[in-house]
Amino acid sequence: MSIDWITVLAQLANFLVLVWLLKRFLYRPILDGIDAREAEITKSMAAAGEAQVKHPSRRRNISTNRKVKTTFCLCENSTWCCSRKQKCLLPVALSSASAGV
């Protein structure tokens, strides 16, 4: 049984071409997208930090202006209900801001 060196070299060349294609058309665009997203997140975090320094009272006003809309309970049978017919194990008050109303 002998080794066909031409086939081995052809397979090696095919493998190297495949690695180059994947790196150029798949790996690099994905890394560029990740870098762009990371820069966008860093920029928005810096803007949020600046806004928090400029307007510290707004955060306090937003948290105190929420009105309680509905109270839900985690009932005995591990379901969420809003009626008081069952024994409430864990009451949760949802505000209009957190309920998406």
Side-chain angles (χ1 to χ4, degrees):
M1 182 169 189
S2 65
I3 297 175
D4 187 11
W5 290 106
I6 294 175
T7 304
V8 171
L9 291 176
Q11 287 181 353
L12 182 63
N14 284 335
F15 177 74
L16 293 175
V17 168
L18 178 65
V19 167
W20 178 79
L21 287 172
L22 288 175
K23 184 177 179 183
R24 177 166 170 110
F25 295 111
L26 182 69
Y27 187 65
R28 190 176 300 155
I30 289 174
L31 286 181
D32 291 343
I34 290 172
D35 291 340
R37 178 70 178 142
E38 189 174 300
E40 182 182 325
I41 289 171
T42 303
K43 182 180 171 184
S44 65
M45 291 294 286
E50 290 174 11
Q52 190 175 12
V53 169
K54 283 183 180 179
H55 308 287
S57 63
R58 283 192 180 182
R59 183 175 181 187
R60 207 174 20 245
N61 291 341
I62 290 172
S63 63
T64 57
N65 288 338
R66 292 183 181 165
K67 296 179 182 178
V68 174
K69 188 84 169 175
T70 310
T71 302
F72 284 91
C73 289
L74 181 62
C75 299
E76 291 176 331
N77 57 359
S78 297
T79 59
W80 291 97
C81 63
C82 58
S83 65
R84 296 289 179 171
K85 294 178 183 177
Q86 298 176 343
K87 183 178 177 183
C88 185
L89 299 176
L90 178 66
V92 178
L94 296 177
S95 66
S96 58
S98 63
V101 176

